[in-house]
Amino acid sequence: MTVIGRRRLEKRHICMQQRTVTMPVKRTEVYSRPTWKHMATPCQPPTYNGQMCTRVQVVHEKAYRDIIDHKTAQQMSYDCCSGWSRENPRADACMKPVCSTRCQNGGNCTAPNTCSCPSGYTGRHCEQDVNECQTEKPCDQQCVNTQGSYFCRCRQGFVLQADQQSCKKVSTNADDAFEARDLENDIDDTDAEVVTRLQKIEKSLANERVHTNELQKSLQATYSVVDTLKSRLSTLEKQAQDVSRLQTNLYKTESRTNKLEGMLNLLLKCRNGPNANCP
């Protein structure tokens, strides 16, 4: 067979195979067959007139019979290569892959013992669920893995956005509202927002134009941002440069927040009564 002929067979997944076949061979056998026959012999004792007596006797005659023997022989044939089969009995090519184990969860057999899995599944036979919460980390806050998929949800005080992944803080004050995803996508903008909030609190303390309850709420909101930044540190470990910058900003934010807390405590003490430390 030429090289071109072999390549054509390979494209059609047809292989030349050597098989051992059993073939029947007919032959004629001669054998001795026993037969009962009537034989006429002189009677014993002999009679005066030579009378003949008849008796039955077994005789062996030559006979013939056909015998079928089975002999093995090597035969070359063309058939589907291992792992492939015909789409139908009349097909002249073997283009249908064979998977010894059925593909699960909607997977398709695309090559011998190879399954192509739908989104959300993996494994040799698509038998394993993909945990998108670990492999993709698609959600801003909380990710719940399900069989073949996942869904996102937000912590208390946040609402899930239209993209079903981002979370936005529920607040009537526009200054307090932000999307959690900004912590990853735009760290500088988030840091600037935190600094702006801290500056407003500092200015309010200096002018004493806000009530204590409002200061406590603002301070609590700032601590909430700090907590969110801390939780994002684990997510941003793979981004070394961003992690380093975030750690620096977090340190500055915590120091500033601690300073504000001290100022708030001092303000409360001064309002409750004279104190030597009061300005």
Side-chain angles (χ1 to χ4, degrees), residues 82-272:
S82 177
W84 297 92
S85 65
R86 290 179 171 85
E87 294 284 352
N88 57 74
R90 296 184 179 181
D92 61 352
C94 303
M95 306 306 294
K96 182 179 179 181
V98 176
C99 291
S100 57
T101 301
R102 183 179 62 85
C103 299
Q104 303 177 27
N105 298 308
N108 295 318
C109 185
T110 55
N113 290 320
T114 302
C115 295
S116 177
C117 303
S119 177
Y121 292 95
T122 187
R124 185 174 181 180
H125 311 297
C126 306
E127 75 281 6
Q128 300 176 6
D129 171 62
V130 175
N131 189 341
E132 294 87 353
C133 297
Q134 293 182 356
T135 59
E136 301 179 12
K137 301 186 182 345
C139 304
D140 272 356
Q141 294 185 354
Q142 298 176 352
C143 181
V144 180
N145 184 58
T146 61
Q147 190 69 16
S149 186
Y150 69 94
F151 66 89
C152 302
R153 62 188 182 190
C154 303
R155 297 192 301 270
Q156 185 176 2
F158 291 82
V159 62
L160 192 64
Q161 299 300 287
D163 61 2
Q164 299 301 310
Q165 292 181 340
S166 303
C167 294
K168 188 172 184 178
K169 189 172 182 181
V170 179
S171 175
T172 57
N173 187 345
D175 289 338
D176 292 336
F178 68 95
E179 292 187 14
R181 174 155 293 193
D182 291 341
L183 292 172
E184 274 189 25
N185 297 338
D186 198 347
I187 298 174
D188 291 335
D189 289 346
T190 304
D191 293 337
E193 185 178 353
V194 174
V195 171
T196 301
R197 185 180 297 122
L198 291 174
Q199 289 175 345
K200 288 186 177 181
I201 297 175
E202 290 174 340
K203 186 176 180 180
S204 299
L205 282 172
N207 298 331
E208 294 187 12
R209 292 189 291 102
V210 295
H211 296 292
T212 302
N213 290 339
E214 294 177 354
L215 284 174
Q216 290 177 335
K217 289 180 180 179
S218 299
L219 188 61
Q220 187 62 38
T222 305
Y223 271 120
S224 177
V225 175
V226 172
D227 292 339
T228 304
L229 288 171
K230 286 182 178 179
S231 67
R232 282 299 176 186
L233 280 177
S234 59
T235 305
L236 299 175
E237 286 178 350
K238 296 180 181 180
Q239 305 172 8
Q241 183 177 358
D242 289 343
V243 170
S244 177
R245 183 170 49 183
L246 181 60
Q247 288 175 333
T248 301
N249 292 334
L250 178 61
Y251 175 77
K252 293 179 180 179
T253 303
E254 285 186 312
S255 300
R256 207 159 189 172
T257 303
N258 291 333
K259 181 179 178 181
L260 286 175
E261 185 177 20
M263 295 174 63
L264 178 60
N265 292 334
L266 180 61
L267 178 63
L268 293 175
K269 290 180 181 179
C270 292
R271 288 186 174 181
N272 293 333

Side-chain angles (χ1 to χ4, degrees), residues 1 9 14-17 76-80 86:
M1 180 181 293
L9 291 178
I14 295 178
C15 296
M16 185 172 62
Q17 301 177 359
M76 302 303 295
S77 63
Y78 291 91
D79 204 349
C80 293
R86 290 179 171 85

